[in-house]
Amino acid sequence: MAITPDDVAYTARLARLALTDEEIARLGRDLGRISAYVAQLTEAVAAGEAARPVLPLIADAEALRDDVVQPSLPVEQALSGAPDVKGPFFRVPKVIG
Amino acid sequence: MRSENERTKAMTPQSVTYDPVIGLEVHAQLLTDAKIFCGCKAAYGGAPNAHTCPVCLGLPGALPVLNRRAVEFAMRMILAVGGTVRHEAIFARKNYFYPDLPKGYQISQYDQPLGDGGSVGIIDAGVEHRIGLIRIHLEEDAGKSFHPENAGDDATSLVDMNRCGVPLIEIVSRPDIHSPRQAGLYLTRLKQILEYLEICTGNMEEGALRCDANVSIRPTGTTAFGTRTEVKNMNSIRGVERALAYEIERQTRLVQSGGTVVQETMLWDEKAQSAHPMRSKEESSDYRYFPEPDLLPLRVPAEWIQTVRSSLPELPQTRAKRLATQYGIPAYDAAVLTDQKALADYFEATVKGFADAKKASNWIMTEVLRILKDRALDVRKFPVTPASLAELLGMIDQGTISATMAKEVFETMVASGRAATDIVVGSGLAQISGDDDLAPLIDAVLADNPGQIEKYKGGKTQLFGFFVGETMKRSKGRANPQRVNDEGRDRDLQQQHGPGARPRPSRRNCGRALVGDHSRIPGGVCARFD
C-alpha cells in the first residue's frame, strides 16, 4: 500500500507531531517500505498458513478475577510518579472539555 | 418559462419537510464492587485518587485481569433485551490522547463485542415501537478532569483517576428513533431495565448513565440517511430530549436555507439550552483499534450463559402484566407500580397484609408517591413499611378511622416511623362509629338549631347536609360520616312520621335515596333496606 504525503500529514496530526515537508516525504517512503513488508503476512495467510496462534490461548470464567475489593495505593504514592500535582489531584496543562 | 420557475420554486429546500433519524449510544456504569481489571473500589465518589493502583493508573508492567462479575452483569443486560452473547469475545485497545486516560488507550471491545442484537420496546402515543440494538459491549471508564472554572486556576486542569477502570457497558441502538420524545422513552425504558437487573443505579446526574446521540435528518418519505452529527454532554433524560430537539431544528434550518450538515460533535450546554461544535469527528480508524495483547480472548460457554439467563429477575413489562392479572388491578396501575422495581416490591409486600389490591394500589399511587416525590426519597428508604401501610389500610376498611383521618395518621407515620395503631390509640383519633357515641353529638346539634329544623320540616331538605356538617365539626372530624348520615336519616324519619315509624336499625347501605326524597318511599323506609 502506497503511503501518500497526505496520509503522513494526517497521521502526524493525530499523533500531535509537527513535521516538515522533508520529514513527511522521508517518513512516507519509510512507511511505504514497512507497509510492503507487513503485506507479506497477508500473502502468507492467503497461501493457507496459520492465521491463528498455535496455542489455543483463551480465558474462561475460572481464569477471571473475583469481584473483591483490594487495597488501593495511598494517594501520595499514587501521585508520586506524576510530573505535577495539586493537592490530591494530578495537574496537567489546560485541556478543553 | 413560467412553469420552469414554478418547478424550481417547488423544489427549493424550504418547501421540503424533514424527519429526524436518531441512534443513541448509552454508557451504563456497572455496580460491581471492584473495578473491571483490578481490585480497586468501583464506587462513585471517594477522596480524589484514593481508589487507584498500578493497573488503573497505567503504570508500566501492570497487567489487567478481567472481573468475572462485570462480564455477568453485561450478560444480564444482553439477555434481558433479547440479544445474543458471543461464545468468544475479544477486548480491543482504543487509542487516543487525553489526560484522564493514563494508559493512552481505553480497553474496550470492537469487532467481537460480548453482545449482539436485541431490542427494547417503547410505547409512544399508545403505539408500541421496537428500538433495535446493534451491540452491547464491555469497556473501562476513564478518569475525570476538572477544568479551570472549578480548578481555581486557568492554566491547568486537574485529574482524578478514581473512575479509571470502572466497568461500563455501552449499549448502541440502531437509528430506529424518530423523535426526541421517543429517545426519552427509550432511555427511560433502558434505565428501568438496568435497575430491575440491579446492575446500574441509572442515575444520569451522577454520570452512572450517559447518553450520546447521533442525529441526522432526511426529507420525509425518503430512506437514505443524511450526514449525522453527534450530540454529547446531556445529563438528564429531559436534557437529551431538549438537545435533540435543538439539533434537529438547527439541521433543518441549515438545510432549508441551502446549507449542508457537516459531520461533527456538538456539545450540549444545558444552561444556554444550545449546542456548539466540539471538534471535527474523527473516523473510527483514527482510534487505531487492535486486539488487546494483555487480555486473552474471553470464552463464554453455553452453560455460563444459561446460568446467567436462569438468574434473570422478572422484567418490568412481564411484571406489569402479572400484577394486573394476579391482583386484578388496571393496566395503568400496574404500569405505574412497576415503573421502579422497589415500588412494585413495596406494593406486593403491602398486598400480603391487606388483600384489597386496588385500594392498596390507589393509596400507593397517590399518598406514597406524593411523599416520595415531595421529599425526593427512594422508596427503599420510605419510613412506612409495607406491613405498616397494610395495617393502616385495614383500619380504614374496618371503619376504625376515616379516610381523611388516615391521611393525617399516615403523615405522622412518615414523620415518626410509628405504627398506625399506636398513633390512633395514642391520640384518640379513632373514628366515632357507634350509635352510643354519635347519638349525643347529633342530639346536641339538633337542640342548638331549632330554627333550621323548622325550615327543614318546611321542605328545605337540603339542610340535611348542614346537620351532618355540624355533627362532623363537633366530633373534630372523627365521626364516621357514613354513620352520621345514616343516623341523621333515622332521626329525620322519626320527626316526620312520629315514633311509630321508627324501626331503628343501621342503614349503612341504603343512604342516598333518602335525602330529600324519603317522603315518597312508603313508610319512609328505603326500598333497598334489608
Side-chain angles (χ1 to χ4, degrees), chain B residues 198-219:
Chain B
E198 298 180 330
I199 60 173
C200 175
T201 65
N203 190 325
M204 278 191 86
E205 286 75 16
E206 287 178 0
L209 195 65
R210 281 167 252 161
C211 174
D212 299 336
N214 287 301
V215 202
S216 62
I217 55 167
R218 62 184 173 197

Side-chain angles (χ1 to χ4, degrees), chain A residues 10 59 65-67 70 73 88, chain B residues 34 39 49 52 66 68 286 299:
Chain A
Y10 180 65
R65 172 192 285 279
D66 288 334
D67 185 27
Q70 286 163 350
L73 293 177
Chain B
N49 292 307
T52 65
L66 182 59
R68 189 183 307 111
D286 290 350
R299 191 166 65 100

Side-chain angles (χ1 to χ4, degrees), chain B residues 119-394:
Chain B
S119 65
V120 171
I122 57 167
I123 296 167
D124 182 18
V127 183
E128 173 154 14
H129 300 261
R130 292 217 74 86
I131 311 298
L133 301 182
I134 296 173
R135 56 192 273 145
I136 296 180
H137 72 245
L138 259 176
E139 62 184 27
E140 59 177 341
D141 209 343
K144 226 171 172 173
S145 324
F146 298 85
H147 303 299
E149 61 272 21
N150 40 18
D153 174 354
D154 23 312
T156 59
S157 290
L158 304 179
V159 188
D160 174 6
M161 303 292 187
N162 281 351
R163 210 177 58 181
C164 270
V166 168
L168 300 176
I169 46 172
E170 180 172 336
I171 305 158
V172 184
S173 89
R174 295 192 175 283
D176 288 350
I177 300 167
H178 297 290
S179 68
R181 183 184 151 76
Q182 287 192 354
L185 292 168
Y186 167 76
L187 278 175
T188 307
R189 183 65 83 190
L190 271 192
K191 180 171 180 289
Q192 189 189 35
I193 297 170
L194 290 164
E195 284 167 0
Y196 265 71
L197 296 172
E198 298 180 330
I199 60 173
C200 175
T201 65
N203 190 325
M204 278 191 86
E205 286 75 16
E206 287 178 0
L209 195 65
R210 281 167 252 161
C211 174
D212 299 336
N214 287 301
V215 202
S216 62
I217 55 167
R218 62 184 173 197
T220 305
T222 63
T223 52
F225 293 120
T227 303
R228 63 166 199 253
T229 58
E230 187 176 8
V231 191
K232 288 174 174 281
N233 201 37
M234 293 84 78
N235 62 2
S236 69
I237 292 177
R238 286 287 298 129
V240 170
E241 292 180 14
R242 285 192 287 255
L244 284 171
Y246 175 91
E247 179 57 12
I248 292 163
E249 173 76 21
R250 186 192 70 88
Q251 290 188 12
T252 307
R253 278 174 197 234
L254 182 65
V255 172
Q256 283 179 339
S257 61
T260 320
V261 175
V262 181
Q263 184 169 333
E264 60 190 344
T265 300
M266 309 287 289
L267 272 192
W268 174 244
D269 182 338
E270 183 66 37
K271 270 189 205 139
Q273 294 287 300
S274 61
H276 304 285
M278 186 169 82
R279 58 169 184 235
S280 59
K281 174 77 180 155
E282 292 171 0
E283 291 296 324
S284 71
S285 59
D286 290 350
Y287 288 125
R288 294 173 295 139
Y289 278 101
F290 61 87
E292 166 63 66
D294 289 344
L295 287 166
L296 296 171
L298 173 67
R299 191 166 65 100
V300 187
E303 309 82 71
W304 193 12
I305 300 173
Q306 193 44 47
T307 308
V308 174
R309 191 191 296 279
S310 59
S311 74
L312 286 183
E314 189 180 29
L315 291 166
Q317 282 162 311
T318 317
R319 191 167 192 185
K321 280 183 195 137
R322 178 175 64 78
L323 293 193
T325 323
Q326 184 177 338
Y327 300 105
I329 56 172
Y332 173 81
D333 291 34
V336 173
L337 293 169
T338 51
D339 182 37
Q340 304 166 54
K341 179 176 186 287
L343 190 67
D345 291 345
Y346 189 92
F347 166 75
E348 291 208 77
T350 305
V351 176
K352 273 197 186 122
F354 178 74
D356 190 332
K358 178 59 189 156
K359 281 186 187 162
S361 153
N362 284 347
W363 193 275
I364 291 170
M365 292 198 305
T366 53
E367 300 308 311
V368 176
L369 281 184
R370 178 177 56 78
I371 293 175
L372 289 176
K373 193 172 172 240
D374 286 354
R375 307 188 185 190
L377 264 183
D378 184 319
V379 65
R380 281 165 293 196
K381 290 178 186 150
F382 194 60
V384 179
T385 63
S388 232
L389 176 61
E391 186 192 30
L392 177 73
L393 295 174

